[in-house]
Amino acid sequence: MKFKHTSVLLHETIDNLKPKNGGLYVDATFGGGGHARYLLSKIDTGTLIGFDQDEYAIKSAKLNFANLLEPDSEPKLKLVHDNFTNLQRDLVELGYSDGIDGIYYDLGVSSPQFDQADRGFSYRYNARLDMRMDQSQSLDAYQLVNTLSQKELADILYKYGDEKFSRQIAHKIVERRKDKPIVTTFELVDIIKEAIPAYARRTGGHPAKKSFQALRVAVNHELDVLQASLEEAIKVLRPGGRISVITFQSHEDKIVKKIFKKYSEVEVPRGMPFVPDDMKPTLRLVNRKPIIASASELEKNNRSHSAKLRVAEKL
């Protein structure tokens, strides 16, 4: 089982964590394990816990990292088939209740997930509308497309995909499904193409790209779970521990920036002679501006063009 995926901002993400021997680290989005393999190569002893809600990713990792999953291996790798929003609970269940030394998130969808036609993530393959990262959840793209109101659909397309023709697309979807349910990705692609004016389809890439992104985000509640998980991650970090987050969408980056700002800046009332302990900042920003891919990486990996990395340290 092969899970081919080129990791974005690989060295920048892991090196900024400053991994040390004996440390406990969390990969919140294991995927193909590119970042994990590099982190494990930087330490001789220690443990990395890899989270992924995608069963395919976990099955692949069990094969590709079998030697590191052995009880007596050093360093050690442990895999958790769960969404990273359950980070704190799962760590306690695993026996790690005293904190971690570092955690990182790669919020991009792995190429193998898109390339599995039956997952319904991609507008390039014809499949049932699905888009679920966790195949055990009931909500999928088919339900959203065929049950939401025109306004709800338009709001999703605009909010999560920055689709400026969101209203036209939502109207066309609702009109089309009056005859019969919209079942496949190609059916949806045709509807989107019909809804977008011809002049707009000539530029900006595939006309369905933004809509498919928006539906995927909505199906998997990606922004809500990201915010909840970041809050938990900051709580479980030990002093001196670091958190690295790679985002690929402006919505994700805004959430990371907002939470990092919330925990790194404090407003001290005027006239207060000192800052009480409960008002002191929790984080220190390692980089004020997001780290972006180098020119050489941009040439090798097209996915890195929209990537932004933010890093913070627990005080």
Side-chain angles (χ1 to χ4, degrees):
M1 183 180 292
K2 294 183 178 180
F3 199 112
K4 292 184 178 180
H5 173 70
T6 303
S7 298
V8 171
L9 294 167
L10 175 63
H11 295 91
E12 295 89 341
T13 300
I14 302 305
D15 291 345
N16 271 295
L17 289 182
K18 294 187 174 180
K20 61 184 180 181
N21 285 330
L24 176 62
Y25 300 94
V26 170
D27 183 329
T29 50
F30 196 85
H35 288 96
R37 194 176 294 280
Y38 179 58
L39 184 145
L40 291 165
S41 74
K42 302 284 286 185
I43 58 176
D44 296 317
T45 61
T47 302
L48 174 64
I49 303 172
F51 282 74
D52 208 298
Q53 63 181 330
D54 187 345
E55 187 176 3
Y56 175 76
I58 293 294
K59 287 181 178 179
S60 298
K62 287 179 178 178
L63 292 175
N64 299 330
F65 291 83
N67 61 314
L68 291 168
L69 293 168
E70 297 295 331
D72 57 349
S73 68
E74 280 293 350
K76 296 179 176 65
L77 172 64
K78 297 186 178 182
L79 299 172
V80 179
H81 179 211
D82 201 357
N83 186 287
F84 53 51
T85 193
N86 299 317
L87 172 69
Q88 192 169 17
R89 183 197 71 188
D90 290 337
L91 287 174
V92 170
E93 289 181 357
L94 287 169
Y96 300 111
S97 57
D98 57 347
I100 61 176
D101 297 295
I103 181 170
Y104 56 95
Y105 297 72
D106 177 358
L107 299 174
V109 178
S110 299
S111 301
Q113 291 168 321
F114 278 120
D115 292 339
Q116 286 181 285
D118 61 340
R119 300 290 294 274
F121 283 115
S122 178
Y123 44 77
R124 294 182 296 151
Y125 305 111
N126 195 26
R128 186 182 187 280
L129 285 166
D130 191 333
M131 303 191 189
R132 292 172 298 168
M133 295 287 191
D134 181 355
Q135 293 286 289
S136 67
Q137 79 172 39
S138 58
L139 180 67
D140 61 10
Y142 172 87
Q143 292 182 49
L144 294 185
V145 168
N146 288 286
T147 63
L148 294 185
S149 68
Q150 183 172 317
K151 182 182 184 305
E152 288 171 327
L153 281 169
D155 287 347
I156 284 174
L157 299 182
Y158 184 77
K159 182 179 180 181
Y160 300 143
D162 293 321
E163 177 53 75
K164 62 181 179 180
F165 298 105
S166 58
R167 293 181 180 178
Q168 294 94 317
I169 294 170
H171 174 74
K172 184 70 71 174
I173 287 173
V174 171
E175 286 297 307
R176 185 65 61 85
R177 75 188 191 195
K178 287 179 181 178
D179 299 326
K180 63 182 182 67
I182 301 164
V183 179
T184 70
T185 53
F186 277 9
E187 287 177 52
L188 182 58
V189 167
D190 289 341
I191 292 168
I192 294 169
K193 286 180 177 178
E194 288 180 24
I196 297 177
Y199 73 87
R201 297 199 304 268
R202 299 190 190 104
T203 59
H206 197 286
K209 180 179 180 179
K210 293 180 178 180
S211 294
F212 270 61
Q213 171 188 298
L215 288 169
R216 189 202 79 224
V217 170
V219 166
N220 297 288
H221 307 288
E222 291 179 21
L223 301 186
D224 293 335
V225 298
L226 171 61
Q227 183 160 333
S229 182
L230 290 174
E231 295 274 0
E232 288 202 354
I234 293 167
K235 289 179 184 176
V236 300
L237 270 178
R238 293 170 180 155
R242 290 189 170 191
I243 176 172
S244 296
V245 187
I246 309 170
T247 62
F248 292 84
Q249 304 168 25
S250 60
H251 308 89
E252 296 169 339
D253 185 56
K254 286 177 183 176
I255 289 174
V256 178
K257 183 179 180 181
K258 181 179 179 181
I259 290 181
F260 279 12
K261 181 178 180 180
K262 169 184 173 182
Y263 286 97
S264 64
E265 296 181 6
V266 292
E267 292 186 11
V268 181
R270 186 171 294 181
M272 183 175 285
F274 64 94
V275 181
D277 288 341
D278 61 351
M279 291 186 64
K280 290 181 179 178
T282 305
L283 295 179
R284 176 184 71 83
L285 300 184
V286 174
N287 55 314
R288 289 281 171 183
K289 293 184 178 181
I291 298 169
I292 59 175
S294 64
S296 60
E297 180 172 359
L298 290 172
E299 288 181 9
K300 298 174 184 176
N301 189 0
N302 186 58
R303 291 183 65 252
S304 63
H305 279 267
S306 58
K308 293 181 178 180
L309 170 65
R310 295 185 185 273
V311 186
E313 180 177 296
K314 182 79 170 279
L315 296 175

